[in-house]
Amino acid sequence: MASKIVLKKSSVSSKVPLSSDLEYGELALNYADGKLYFKNTSDTVSSIGINGFSSLIDTVANWVQTSSFAGIANPTDVYFKPDGTKMFLSVANTLNQYTLSTAWDITTAGTVTSFTNTWDTSTLGMFISPDGTKLVTCGQTAVVNAGLSIVASEDRAYYLTLSTPWDITTATLVSSLRFAIGDAGLPAAETSPAGITFNLDGTIMYMIGSTGDNIYQYTLTTAYNVSTATYSKQLSISFIETGGSGIRFNTAGTRIYIKIEEHT
């Protein structure tokens, strides 16, 4: 008679086993969330999502090193030049640029160079074209009344050109795109556009928003110029996360990486 293999299991949504609950090579199943859990070599619990996205790994990479930056509080996004020699951080409505003396080593960051925009009160996401001449940001702009009280926020993407590649101090605003219902064909407003990225030639744009927990796809007739964007489709990611705040693809476009604020 064949033996039956039964995994450790739970039907309680969001319940995660402790490291002490698992042996190496042992699996635990949460069949409410559709996740398998295992203990990795660092003695922490990681999970594999099996509900919707195949091979979606829900784990956090081990930190190799960290670095603090004076005067920087609550950065919302980070971007690197393809060769790893420059790093960019978005903080409020300011973009900070650092030169790394050793590529990809954030502890070698030099003096900060900043660019503060006057049209966006909270820059949440950014993308720079591979040649360093195009910059696209997304975020929120406060709308005030005559009494200077904030009455609403406009949620937009902004397209800028850089006269000197990879130098954000040479940025010039060209155009913008609202993420309001009906704009560029968007079926529902996204009030928290938190991350933005593009395909290799800048003709397809992806925006992640935490209001609807969706990834929105747009086609652009002029590369990177968001004013030429038309809404194409969207993917709900609410079954794996809430509070999406960042998005990137691998260079082949076959894998997507999402930064989230909290698990559901």
Side-chain angles (χ1 to χ4, degrees):
M1 183 176 178
S3 299
K4 179 187 293 186
I5 299 175
V6 179
L7 302 179
K8 288 184 176 178
K9 58 188 181 294
S10 174
S11 62
V12 180
S13 181
S14 302
K15 187 172 183 180
V16 178
L18 300 175
S19 175
S20 58
D21 294 331
L22 297 173
E23 298 294 331
Y24 287 111
E26 185 179 25
L27 297 175
L29 173 67
N30 185 312
Y31 51 89
D33 298 336
K35 290 183 178 180
L36 278 172
Y37 294 92
F38 64 97
K39 182 159 64 174
N40 60 34
T41 55
S42 61
D43 204 38
T44 59
V45 175
S46 297
S47 68
I48 304 173
I50 57 175
N51 185 15
F53 282 150
S54 61
S55 301
L56 177 64
I57 307 300
D58 182 18
T59 186
V60 178
N62 294 325
W63 288 105
V64 175
Q65 54 196 3
T66 61
S67 185
S68 61
F69 299 91
I72 302 300
N74 302 318
T76 53
D77 202 4
V78 61
Y79 201 88
F80 286 85
K81 186 178 178 182
D83 64 4
T85 60
K86 284 195 175 182
M87 180 180 69
F88 305 85
L89 290 177
S90 58
V91 183
N93 65 330
T94 299
L95 299 181
N96 294 318
Q97 174 180 308
Y98 302 84
T99 297
L100 307 182
S101 57
T102 300
W104 304 107
D105 185 346
I106 59 176
T107 65
T108 66
T111 305
V112 61
T113 301
S114 299
F115 171 80
T116 301
N117 69 60
T118 57
W119 52 84
D120 199 356
T121 54
S122 180
T123 300
L124 301 176
M126 63 177 159
F127 179 90
I128 303 176
S129 62
D131 64 359
T133 63
K134 309 290 191 303
L135 168 66
V136 179
T137 67
C138 68
Q140 299 173 322
T141 301
V143 179
V144 298
N145 59 20
L148 300 182
S149 297
I150 297 176
V151 294
S153 64
E154 282 200 341
D155 312 290
R156 291 179 177 263
Y158 297 90
Y159 165 60
L160 304 93
T161 57
L162 283 65
S163 57
T164 300
W166 300 105
D167 184 351
I168 58 174
T169 64
T170 67
T172 300
L173 179 64
V174 177
S175 65
S176 68
L177 168 69
R178 285 200 315 168
F179 296 119
I181 185 169
D183 284 21
L186 188 64
E190 176 51 67
T191 58
S192 297
I196 200 161
T197 193
F198 288 79
N199 68 341
L200 290 178
D201 65 5
T203 59
I204 301 178
M205 179 178 76
Y206 306 87
M207 181 268 289
I208 188 171
S210 59
T211 299
D213 293 324
N214 291 318
I215 298 172
Y216 304 87
Q217 180 175 320
Y218 290 78
T219 56
L220 288 74
T221 55
T222 301
Y224 302 108
N225 189 335
V226 296
S227 66
T228 70
T230 300
Y231 168 81
S232 175
K233 63 188 72 171
Q234 68 187 53
L235 171 69
S236 172
I237 51 175
S238 61
F239 64 91
I240 57 168
E241 64 88 26
T242 59
S245 58
I247 180 172
R248 293 288 186 266
F249 285 85
N250 66 348
T251 54
T254 58
R255 293 199 176 195
I256 185 171
Y257 303 89
I258 300 170
K259 182 178 73 170
I260 63 176
E261 295 176 359
E262 64 175 299
H263 288 211
T264 55

